[in-house]
Amino acid sequence: MKTIKKSYLIALTIILSGLFTFSCKSDDDGGGGGGAASGTITAKVDGTTVSTIELTTAAQISGGSLMITGNDGGSPNNKAFQLSITSLDGTGTYPIGGGANVFNIASYTEINVSDPMNAQIWQAPYDDTQVGEINISELSDSRVKGTFSFRGKNADGNIKNITEGSFNVALN
């Protein structure tokens, strides 16, 4: 009877350790690539999906920094995303905020083209806490792909939650 209990405990331990091993992901792998169509950025803004169009979406690496921008081409209301990683080091997870030496930023903008001076910008970080992250899952000489999420704050102190974000953008 003791042999059966001992064998059962060993088998259970092996199964549970396998489950934990396969459920964890490394911070260095950048996670999954998300579901953005080629040439676009897409995310939920307070629960509503916003997607950029390929014509207005671009990514560029310069001096070790990555900048990804795009807008939805909407008129009269235009919506845009901007993601910036200041010290790009390949695939991996890059925090937005979280300390004095973390310079990665993200923003979401809404512009009424009839009144562009009253654009609303929700920026992250807005204090020294981590308010999001950008995950690079694929990076080549020609394309960057990954996911992101953040909480942005505008000048009035209002917060927008940007969730389920993903990008799949050609590098210029």
Side-chain angles (χ1 to χ4, degrees):
M1 184 75 163
K2 286 185 180 182
T3 305
I4 293 174
K5 284 184 180 180
K6 188 174 182 180
S7 296
Y8 176 74
L9 287 174
I10 291 171
L12 185 60
T13 302
I14 290 170
I15 291 169
L16 288 176
S17 15
L19 289 174
F20 287 119
T21 300
F22 292 113
S23 67
C24 296
K25 78 171 187 71
S26 165
D27 282 345
D28 292 335
D29 71 4
S38 182
T40 67
I41 303 167
T42 188
K44 287 190 176 179
V45 178
D46 284 341
T48 301
T49 301
V50 175
S51 296
T52 66
I53 59 174
E54 189 171 2
L55 180 66
T56 64
T57 305
Q60 181 176 3
I61 296 175
S62 177
S65 294
L66 170 66
M67 175 77 69
I68 304 169
T69 60
N71 70 65
D72 70 350
S75 181
N77 296 313
N78 189 279
K79 298 170 180 144
F81 296 102
Q82 180 176 332
L83 307 170
S84 178
I85 298 172
T86 57
S87 295
L88 184 65
D89 188 27
T91 60
T93 300
Y94 296 87
I96 300 171
N101 57 351
V102 178
F103 301 107
N104 306 319
I105 61 169
S107 66
Y108 168 72
T109 305
E110 292 181 354
I111 304 168
N112 181 327
V113 294
S114 300
D115 189 12
M117 296 306 291
N118 285 324
Q120 291 292 308
I121 303 169
W122 288 266
Q123 180 120 5
Y126 46 83
D127 58 24
D128 54 350
T129 61
Q130 184 174 337
V131 293
E133 64 184 25
I134 303 168
N135 302 291
I136 305 294
S137 59
E138 293 180 34
L139 181 62
S140 68
D141 291 340
S142 61
R143 181 160 299 280
V144 61
K145 190 175 183 181
T147 61
F148 66 95
S149 64
F150 65 94
R151 286 184 317 278
K153 188 179 206 180
N154 70 2
D156 297 330
N158 297 319
I159 301 284
K160 281 211 184 272
N161 290 303
I162 313 303
T163 59
E164 299 179 38
S166 59
F167 51 88
N168 181 356
V169 184
L171 286 167
N172 295 334

